[in-house]
Amino acid sequence: MKKHNFNAGPSVLPREVIEKTAQAVLDFNGSGLSILEISHRSKDFQAVMDEAIALFKELLEIPSGYSVVFLGGGASLQFCMVPFNLLEKKAAYLLTGTWASKAYKEAKGFGEVVEVASSKDANFSYIPKNYVIPTDVDYFHITTNNTIFGTEILTDIDSPVPLVADMSSDIFSRPVDVSKYGVIYGGAQKNLGPAGLAFAIVKEELLGKVSRHIPTMLDYRIHIENGSMFNTPPVLPIYSALETLRWLKANGGLVAMEKKNIAKAELLYNEIDRNKLFVGTAAKEDRSRMNICFVMKPEYQELEAEFLKFASDRGMVGIKGHRSVGGYRASIYNALPIESVQALIDCMQEFEKLH
Ligand SMILES: *Cc1c(COP(=O)(O)O)cnc(C)c1O
């Protein structure tokens, strides 16, 4: 049976990225060697790194003055790397979910940290509005897509202080005005590649301003100076990321990707709103295009487990909601085809007819 992969992360990747990665593991560039058994400083791997960084900059139209680095440790290590490098006295955080809260908690070890606004009062089902960004802080941190709660900040907000964004789960899903940000970071395993890889886009002029000692491996400057090769980088995830970046370019780049993502999300939200059994959990104006959260309406609550089984019997994978929201979550990242969204909708409609 065909599987439709709605996993939240690690998650669906383009089939050709998986196949090309498999090929590089068996025989990289016809060298007779696996990419796993060659030096990261070899000419062949240096070409992978160079092309990946170049495509990263090209697709996001990253202006000069910014560097892109590949790092280990996932997005979670960035929760401390950001304040290590940028927080001298005070930072501000927007609390829009579990990941944002973790980032906020981590920063507290480095200085004064203020909560600008939070949607915790309604289980993070909306994005706070009309908050004021303090002007006396070193940076303002946001999480653009709240993977667990299915809300998203879809505009590049104007900030009077350097804007730092965790874009783990919506990077490359739409064009971004990078010039409005100081740092954009994320883990790779949602829209870019395998787990174990993180990226950071860093405005260089923000670095070197804190007075603390930064451990070498946590210092953005070291990774920038060494072209993401201060130590042995996660070579295979970087190779897969390169293949994803090539796929993005070949498929029309981020303008085309955004168009497809809007179409997929609208299709599924329309069905959630139409279907008598289901209701969306996120505020309509803040709905994520990447993670679509919905539950059974209270009067059909007893059908919750039954629908999960019904859908998984028909090839739907990974639609069980996160425990902090319940119900269902369909993650419809870049690589998920619209046919899979339609297959889920077919399940929802069939199930509705049965009840
Ligand atoms: C998945 C996720 C993380 C955590 O990523 P790790 O690579 O596991 O550390 C952080 N932030 C957001 C928004 C995420 O979706």
Side-chain angles (χ1 to χ4, degrees):
M1 192 205 324
K2 178 165 171 43
K3 298 283 188 185
H4 299 282
N5 185 356
F6 295 95
N7 280 321
S11 44
V12 62
L13 286 171
R15 191 65 210 169
E16 60 187 84
V17 171
I18 309 271
E19 280 165 5
K20 287 188 168 145
T21 302
Q23 182 54 44
V25 169
L26 294 172
D27 181 358
F28 179 50
N29 281 356
S31 64
L33 296 173
S34 169
I35 192 170
L36 301 177
E37 50 186 8
I38 60 163
S39 169
H40 57 293
R41 307 213 182 266
S42 62
K43 209 165 107 276
D44 279 1
F45 187 76
Q46 186 64 55
V48 168
M49 182 66 94
D50 293 346
E51 188 184 344
I53 303 263
L55 275 175
F56 210 106
K57 290 185 169 171
E58 181 184 329
L59 286 161
L60 281 165
E61 296 180 29
I62 299 178
S64 63
Y66 289 79
S67 286
V68 174
V69 287
F70 289 122
L71 305 158
S76 298
L77 189 64
Q78 297 306 301
F79 295 167
C80 85
M81 220 163 140
V82 163
F84 242 127
N85 284 268
L86 301 184
L87 205 171
E88 178 70 6
K89 283 205 175 76
K90 200 167 160 186
Y93 280 67
L94 186 66
L95 301 195
T96 52
T98 308
W99 296 115
S101 305
K102 285 189 177 172
Y104 168 73
K105 190 172 161 224
E106 195 75 356
K108 282 185 164 179
F110 296 85
E112 189 184 344
V113 183
V114 288
E115 171 188 320
V116 168
S118 167
S119 49
K120 193 166 195 275
D121 57 343
N123 200 31
F124 296 119
S125 58
Y126 69 99
I127 303 287
K129 319 268 177 339
N130 305 320
Y131 53 79
V132 179
I133 304 167
T135 52
D136 63 340
V137 293
D138 299 314
Y139 63 87
F140 174 47
H141 180 283
I142 60 172
T143 308
T144 48
N145 185 62
N146 298 284
T147 322
I148 293 176
F149 299 93
T151 61
E152 188 171 8
I153 299 170
L154 283 161
T155 49
D156 301 309
I157 62 180
D158 292 303
S159 170
V161 295
L163 183 62
V164 175
D166 175 356
M167 290 198 187
S168 292
S169 52
D170 61 352
I171 189 76
F172 295 118
S173 68
R174 65 172 179 92
V176 167
D177 182 355
V178 174
S179 71
K180 290 198 168 174
Y181 297 84
V183 175
I184 297 172
Y185 68 83
Q189 68 272 25
K190 279 94 183 202
N191 253 342
L192 184 60
L197 177 66
F199 64 85
I201 306 165
V202 186
K203 191 174 193 177
E204 288 141 30
E205 68 176 37
L206 300 178
L207 302 176
K209 293 185 175 169
V210 292
S211 50
R212 75 175 58 82
H213 168 74
I214 306 173
T216 313
M217 277 293 286
L218 298 179
D219 189 335
Y220 285 129
R221 289 172 301 180
I222 296 291
H223 294 283
I224 292 171
E225 280 160 21
N226 290 277
S228 299
M229 295 235 219
F230 172 72
N231 71 326
T232 318
V235 289
L236 191 63
I238 290 171
Y239 181 77
S240 295
L242 168 61
E243 288 297 350
T244 304
L245 295 164
R246 286 175 171 168
W247 175 86
L248 282 166
K249 186 171 174 181
N251 284 277
L254 303 190
V255 172
M257 213 42 64
E258 179 176 44
K259 231 172 122 189
K260 281 188 200 161
N261 288 328
I262 290 173
K264 287 188 292 179
E266 275 186 7
L267 202 60
L268 187 47
Y269 282 122
N270 285 344
E271 175 58 19
I272 291 168
D273 293 341
R274 186 210 60 78
N275 195 302
K276 70 171 187 196
L277 302 176
F278 304 102
V279 59
T281 58
K284 282 196 182 167
E285 68 276 18
D286 299 321
R287 283 173 160 181
S288 167
R289 291 179 190 151
M290 297 281 102
N291 311 94
I292 300 198
C293 296
F294 55 107
V295 294
M296 279 290 170
K297 283 191 185 145
E299 58 269 38
Y300 295 104
Q301 192 54 48
E302 78 282 0
L303 296 175
E304 182 173 309
E306 201 181 318
F307 177 68
L308 210 52
K309 179 166 188 313
F310 184 89
S312 56
D313 288 347
R314 284 157 184 75
M316 307 304 128
V317 176
I319 62 160
K320 189 171 168 35
H322 189 274
R323 62 186 179 282
S324 42
V325 182
Y328 318 102
R329 171 176 52 173
S331 297
I332 57 168
Y333 297 119
N334 283 346
L336 184 95
I338 196 158
E339 292 73 27
S340 291
V341 174
Q342 192 55 56
L344 175 58
I345 291 171
D346 292 345
C347 278
M348 293 163 77
Q349 296 184 345
E350 261 187 75
F351 195 72
E352 182 188 31
K353 285 198 192 98
L354 295 174
H355 299 278

